[in-house]
């Protein structure tokens, strides 16, 4: 044994001390007349066992436990090295379980728990407005509401606004579109954002008279401006407006969005009306004020605003959300669900290892008996076996970290549609490493306790009396085995049931009809913006769109082209209530509904069927009377016994006095609010020429491959306006499939956990049956010698597997009925108690259990009775 | 085991510390010297096993009741001498009074009834 240097010195001193003791004792004896040799021998005999004295003395140094631990550790490592198959299986099993946990923990920690990188982020709130008829819990404020809120505020010491947007940067090389935000002057100081260059906005720079200013992000500064150190004070064209750059923010600052890299000051003029609702409030709590107090304060402000504006609002509240909740609140349930699922996988892995260890400790019973015979206490044995488990746990933690590293990388790559917020904050750092090792050591010690207690409890007399036999498993040992196997079948059934439910609802989701008749693969869509200042003259904007359509339609292979500001299955730009002449308006009866602003050709391109009347034509111009096309379900609801054509409709509530629009057509329903939306697919459409919007999706139907078509379309657009921003090119099948990427992501994740669980459980059941078959080889030999047919033995063994399976399935189904309830929010048109899923999953697990029993059973019947009887 | 050990009795649990501290009260001493002193002082009745002595010495040292120093003996051999510390003196007093209490208590129990 190698001791540390200082301890070696201490040991040498002890040795010297004992030698001097022996020397003095011998001299005393010589002085009393003994012969030198005899004196030496006698004093040594009197002294006793020098090594033992040394050892017990060393115990006094206070390092005994550590030494014993090192001893156990070395022994444990040696035992593990002696049975590499066991070690590899155990470490890999544990690595899988621990790794899945470490990966999900790093996501949960990064997204939900890691402190936000903003000063005092725990006391920053986002403030929304929720009212009828919009009914959006995270609805935006209008400017008028902001001023009312600010005037009556008592809870916050800073109040600001922001709104996300996009801006075109032109005039400096290639035109580029960047994700931007308009912010009030106090936005940066509120968040504690410090520029790396220049300054942010200062108090008062958000007045109507303020200059147009911009702060740019570090990445944009490098990419677009070549990291120009003299950027400050330079003027750029942002969507056609000359704007002065005053500062550069470091790359670590990304708010409101991960991709925001341009911040522009608001130039707020007192509003003339309530609306549009574009703004999100951001505010910092006064010292001592809680979020609850702030919430009740804003709600009372909301009631005042509602009272003063009864025609605009009903049931107005102003939700106050802590910044973190606002950023990550929507993924929280899914993440915790995943965390629960991986905990199950780990449990199953641990049960497997406990079973393996238990089986192996039976073989090691004689070793234990000898140790007890030599005076080892039970505590000592348990400690030694536990050390072995912990060593396995530590090795498993290393394997798990490797696994988690791969998993986290994959997860980040797999996040193309930005399902996870704060994905940049996910990394394997110290928190994850600590979590991983703590989890590995704790759980492996806990689960090592079962086999350790069992093994150390064996009676040494019995174990030794069994002589040369390797020692069979007692019935109670087999019972522990079986109970563990049942437990893991039940656990994996719960996971499989959960995954099955998600798969079922994903299938349901993909069956949903979008309402688009055209083959989605053949429809290419792209986003075209007319945000540049030169299109603020509506006639020019419409002409811009019309020119694009004309030249795209002229491209070879193009069958149809159209434009709309909505895109199935989950994008719509505006929704608003409406009113119909001759029908009494009430807020509940005319809910907010997607409004499409479209160019002629949209329905034809998408092949959305015309049920009555006509589509829009180029003749539906600004100077003609207003027209509107309604969707089938809107027609059915408001004109159940009547022809809707010729009726007059207005956008919004009657109080808005919007211009009249004659219903000229009824078209088929299209999903715009998401495939899983429970809202009615009602919508109404107006021509862009009569209600201009600054951006459109261009739809091109063609059987040509998108790869060759897209550049030609883009070229055609740039021929019309070389500064035009075009992006998000995608065929509609991809758009539809992307819209289900979140449930698909969840399903794939939970599904892979469930498969891992199934695999582990199968291995576990196989292990138990195989082990009991090996133990009963002799018995089978006797049975067959006495005339039992192989089929009888087969039935016996498979029956055992089936019994384990049945018990596990029964327990698992009961647990599933309780636990799958937590999945309710993730399910689409599938009940949490869906019998089809539960029966299928139960059957699968039953089959797996039977198969896991069948393989060892076949080995049992192939046994030659004469060999079996001699079997050791 | 030789005959001459037969008159010796095992030390009571916990009394060894008291004996070591008491022995060191008269001045620094090495391990062998302490064992001899206890043997002689008890009229050869008490025999200190080395297997108990050295662990006890090292434990008392860790408690800071005694401290050790390497010295050269009369025949210029290196020996490790133990010395009582001030806290060790207090501990000795405490252990002595505890021992006296114990002796009185046991004597009281052993006293024939009625006396």
């Amino acid at each position: 044994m190698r001791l540390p240097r200082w301890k070696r010195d201490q040991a040498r001193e002890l040795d010297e001390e004992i030698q001097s003791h022996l020397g003095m004792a011998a001299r005393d004896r010589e002085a009393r007349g003994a012969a030198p040799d005899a004196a030496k021998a006698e004093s040594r005999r009197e002294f006793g066992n020098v090594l033992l004295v040394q050892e017990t003395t060393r115990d006094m140094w206070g390092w005994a436990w550590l030494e014993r631990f090192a001893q156990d550790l070395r022994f444990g490592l040696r035992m593990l090295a002696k049975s590499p198959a066991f070690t590899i299986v155990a470490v890999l099993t544990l690595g899988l379980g621990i790794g899945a946990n470490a990966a999900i923990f790093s996501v949960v920690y990064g997204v939900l728990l890691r402190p936000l990188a903003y000063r005092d982020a725990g006391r920053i709130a986002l403030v929304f407005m929720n009212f009828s008829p919009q009914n959006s819990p995270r609805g935006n404020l209008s400017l008028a509401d902001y001023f009312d809120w600010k005037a009556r505020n008592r809870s916050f010491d800073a109040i600001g606004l922001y709104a996300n947007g996009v801006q075109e940067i032109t005039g400096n090389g290639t035109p580029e579109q960047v994700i931007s935000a308009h912010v009030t002057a106090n936005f940066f100081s509120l968040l504690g954002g410090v520029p790396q260059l220049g300054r942010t906005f200062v108090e008062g720079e958000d007045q109507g008279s303020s200059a147009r200013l911009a702060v740019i992000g570090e990445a944009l500064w490098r990419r677009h401006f070549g990291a120009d150190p003299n950027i400050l004070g330079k003027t750029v064209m942002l969507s056609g407006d000359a704007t002065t750059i005053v500062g550069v923010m470091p790359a670590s600052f990304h708010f409101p969005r991960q991709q925001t890299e341009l911040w522009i000051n608001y130039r707020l003029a007192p509003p003339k009306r309530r609306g549009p609702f574009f703004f999100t409030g951001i505010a910092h709590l006064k010292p001592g004020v809680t979020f609850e107090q702030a919430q009740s304060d804003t709600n009372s402000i909301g009631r005042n605003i509602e009272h003063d504006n009864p025609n605009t609002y009903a049931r107005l509240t102003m939700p106050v959300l802590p910044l973190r909740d606002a950023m990550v609140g929507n993924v929280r349930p899914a993440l915790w669900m995943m965390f629960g699922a991986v905990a199950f996988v780990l449990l199953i892995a641990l049960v497997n290892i406990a079973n393996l260890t238990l089986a192996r400790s039976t073989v090691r019973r004689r070793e234990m008996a000898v140790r007890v015979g030599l005076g080892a206490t039970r505590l000592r044995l348990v400690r030694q076996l536990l050390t072995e488990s912990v060593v396995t746990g530590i090795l498993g933690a290393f394997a798990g970290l490797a696994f988690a590293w791969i998993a986290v990388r994959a997860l980040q790559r797999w996040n193309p549609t930005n399902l996870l917020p704060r994905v940049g904050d996910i990394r394997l750092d110290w928190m994850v490493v600590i979590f991983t090792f703590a989890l590995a050591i704790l759980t492996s010690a806990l689960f090592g306790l079962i086999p350790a207690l069992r093994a150390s409890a064996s009676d040494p007399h019995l174990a030794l009396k069994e002589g040369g036999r390797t020692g069979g498993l007692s019935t109670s040992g087999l019972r522990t085995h079986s109970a563990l196997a049942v437990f893991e079948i039940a656990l994996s059934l719960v996971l499989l049931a959960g995954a099955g439910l998600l798969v079922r609802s994903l299938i349901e989701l993909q069956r949903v009809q979008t309402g688009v008749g055209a083959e989605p693969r053949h429809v290419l869509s792209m986003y075209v913006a007319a945000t540049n200042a030169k299109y603020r003259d509506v006639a020019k904007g419409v002409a811009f769109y019309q020119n694009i359509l004309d030249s795209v339609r002229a491209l070879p292979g193009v069958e149809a082209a159209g434009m709309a500001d909505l895109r199935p299955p989950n994008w719509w730009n505006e929704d608003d209530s409406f009113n119909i002449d001759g029908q009494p308006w009430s807020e509940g009866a005319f809910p907010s509904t997607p409004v499409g602003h479209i160019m002629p050709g949209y329905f034809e391109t998408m092949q959305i069927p015309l049920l009555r009347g006509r589509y829009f034509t180029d003749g539906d111009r600004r100077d003609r009377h207003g027209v509107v096309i309604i969707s089938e379900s809107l027609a059915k609801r408001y004109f159940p016994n009547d022809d809707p054509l010729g009726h007059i409709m207005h956008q919004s509530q009657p109080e808005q006095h919007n211009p009249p629009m004659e219903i000229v057509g009824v078209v088929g329903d299209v999903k715009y609010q998401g495939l899983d939306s429970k809202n009615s697919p009602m919508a109404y459409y107006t021509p862009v020429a009569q209600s201009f919007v600054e951006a459109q999706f261009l739809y091109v139907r063609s059987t040509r491959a998108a790869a060759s078509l897209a550049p030609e379309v883009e070229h055609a657009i740039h021929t019309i306006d070389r500064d035009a921003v075009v992006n998000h090119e995608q065929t509609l099948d991809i758009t539809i499939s992307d819209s289900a990427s979140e449930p698909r992501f969840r399903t794939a994740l939970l599904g892979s956990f469930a498969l891992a669980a199934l695999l582990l459980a199968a291995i576990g059941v196989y292990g138990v049956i195989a082990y009991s078959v090996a133990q009963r080889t002799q018995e089978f030999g006797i049975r067959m010698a006495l005339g039992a047919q192989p089929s009888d033995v087969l039935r016996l063994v498979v029956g055992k597997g089936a019994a384990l399976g049945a018990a596990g399935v029964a327990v698992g189904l009961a647990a599933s009925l309780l636990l799958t309830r937590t999945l309710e929010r993730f399910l689409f048109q599938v009940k949490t108690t869906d019998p089809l899923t539960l029966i299928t999953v139960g059957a699968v697990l039953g089959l797996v259990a039977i198969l896991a029993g069948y393989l060892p059973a076949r080995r049992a019947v192939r046994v030659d009775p004469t060999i079996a009887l001699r079997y050791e | 085991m030789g005959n001459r050990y037969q008159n010796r009795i095992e030390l009571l649990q916990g009394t060894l510390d008291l004996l070591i501290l008491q022995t060191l009260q008269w001045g620094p001493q090495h391990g062998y010297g302490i064992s001899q002193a206890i043997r002689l002082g008890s009229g050869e009745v008490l025999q200190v096993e080395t297997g108990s002595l050295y662990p006890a010495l090292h434990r008392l040292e860790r408690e800071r009741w005694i401290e050790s120093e390497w010295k050269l003996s009369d025949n210029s051999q290196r020996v490790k001498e133990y010395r009582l510390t001030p806290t060790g003196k207090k501990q000795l007093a405490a252990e002595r009074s505890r021992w006296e209490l114990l002796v009185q208590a046991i004597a009281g129990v052993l006293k024939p009834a009625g006396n």
Side-chain angles (χ1 to χ4, degrees), chain A residues 306-538:
Chain A
E306 180 183 336
H307 182 261
D308 296 345
N309 304 276
N311 290 336
T312 314
Y313 306 116
R315 293 196 302 276
L316 176 71
T317 58
M318 294 181 72
V320 171
L321 258 80
L323 183 58
R324 181 197 300 277
D325 289 4
M327 285 172 80
V328 303
N330 51 340
V331 297
R332 186 170 291 160
L335 282 184
W336 288 120
M337 186 262 286
M338 292 302 163
F339 213 11
V342 289
F344 271 48
V345 175
L346 179 61
L347 264 181
I348 296 172
L350 289 165
V351 167
N352 259 2
I353 293 170
N355 250 339
L356 266 177
T357 317
L358 197 59
R360 214 166 61 105
S361 66
T362 323
V363 183
R364 286 173 66 185
R365 238 165 90 191
R366 290 226 303 151
E367 175 199 331
M368 295 301 138
V370 171
R371 281 167 183 275
V372 172
L374 290 178
T377 60
R378 183 164 182 202
L379 184 70
R380 189 80 181 75
L381 282 188
V382 169
R383 199 160 57 191
Q384 184 208 319
L385 288 172
L386 269 187
T387 310
E388 286 182 43
S389 295
V390 170
V391 169
T392 318
I394 291 171
L395 292 177
F398 279 112
L401 274 182
F403 179 84
W405 189 78
I406 297 168
V408 166
R409 294 292 293 261
L411 212 62
Q412 280 169 328
R413 290 253 168 94
W414 197 14
N415 192 28
T417 38
N418 292 310
L419 296 179
L420 284 174
R422 303 187 71 196
V423 81
D425 284 338
I426 300 170
R427 48 185 179 263
L428 288 186
D429 59 4
W430 279 112
M431 277 307 287
V432 178
V433 172
I434 290 168
F435 169 83
T436 306
F437 276 91
L439 185 70
I441 290 169
L442 275 178
T443 52
S444 54
L446 204 64
F447 274 75
L449 212 55
I450 304 169
L453 287 178
R454 282 210 59 84
S456 64
S458 60
D459 182 347
H461 297 291
L462 276 177
L464 288 174
K465 251 192 282 179
E466 278 171 16
R469 286 199 53 181
T470 38
L473 198 57
S474 60
T475 33
S476 79
L478 206 53
R479 219 178 295 133
T480 315
H481 261 307
S482 305
L484 288 173
V486 167
F487 181 53
E488 64 185 340
I489 292 173
L491 286 174
S492 60
L493 187 127
V494 174
L495 279 190
L496 275 180
L501 289 172
L502 290 189
V503 168
R504 280 264 290 146
S505 77
L506 189 62
I507 292 170
E508 289 298 319
L509 197 60
Q510 277 164 345
R511 272 203 204 135
V512 172
Q513 297 294 324
T514 54
V516 175
E519 166 59 46
R521 268 187 304 129
H522 295 159
V523 178
L524 174 69
S525 76
M526 61 187 76
Y527 175 91
V528 181
T531 41
N532 200 296
K534 64 190 165 205
Y535 296 124
R536 283 190 196 142
D537 176 357
V538 171

Side-chain angles (χ1 to χ4, degrees), chain A residues 131-133 311-313 576-579 585 587 650-658:
Chain A
F131 61 92
S132 258
N311 290 336
T312 314
Y313 306 116
D576 204 342
S577 177
F578 53 93
N579 61 90
W585 188 86
E587 162 220 315
H650 310 260
Q651 189 165 345
S652 296
Q653 298 103 302
E655 295 82 6
Q656 300 279 333
H657 301 294
N658 281 319

Side-chain angles (χ1 to χ4, degrees), chain A residues 13-14 16-17 20-21 24-25 27-29 42 46-47 53 56-57 60-62, chain B residues 4-5 30-32 35 50-51 54-55 58-59 62 70 75 77-80 82:
Chain A
E13 283 194 1
L14 176 62
E16 195 179 346
E17 186 176 9
S20 79
H21 179 115
M24 285 186 282
R27 265 198 308 285
D28 277 1
R29 283 196 161 72
E42 181 61 20
E46 190 189 49
F47 189 93
V53 171
T56 45
T57 306
M60 294 301 132
W61 297 347
Chain B
R4 60 200 189 89
Y5 290 137
H30 44 70
Y32 177 70
S35 71
T50 47
Y54 282 99
H58 284 243
R59 192 182 62 246
R62 218 184 68 189
W70 285 92
N75 50 356
Q77 254 197 328
R78 258 163 65 85
V79 291
K80 197 177 180 188
Y82 294 89

Side-chain angles (χ1 to χ4, degrees), chain A residues 195-314:
Chain A
Q196 68 180 57
L197 205 64
R199 63 175 182 89
T200 57
F201 307 128
V202 295
E203 195 64 42
E205 278 183 336
D206 49 16
Q207 309 297 313
S209 56
S210 302
R212 288 179 196 274
L213 305 172
V215 172
I216 61 176
E218 202 254 356
L220 177 63
W221 178 53
R222 290 194 182 285
R223 191 176 65 240
H224 198 94
F225 300 99
D228 179 5
N230 302 314
I231 186 80
L232 303 178
K234 287 210 169 147
T235 298
V236 289
M237 299 302 281
L238 296 183
S239 302
D241 293 321
T243 309
T244 307
I245 294 178
V246 297
V248 178
M249 288 304 286
S252 58
F253 188 90
H254 29 71
F255 189 82
R257 293 188 182 169
Q258 192 81 26
Q259 310 91 333
T260 307
E261 45 186 7
L262 176 65
W263 296 267
I264 302 162
N265 62 329
Y266 269 127
R267 295 156 64 243
L268 301 174
K272 292 187 198 77
R273 64 179 189 112
R274 302 201 89 85
F277 297 91
F278 283 167
F279 309 92
T280 306
I282 181 166
H284 181 268
L285 289 175
K286 274 183 185 169
V289 176
T290 65
F291 280 106
E292 290 73 25
Q293 289 164 340
Q295 177 66 79
S296 74
D297 187 30
T298 58
N299 279 349
S300 78
I301 295 173
R303 276 192 296 277
N304 281 327
I305 295 176
E306 180 183 336
H307 182 261
D308 296 345
N309 304 276
N311 290 336
T312 314
Y313 306 116

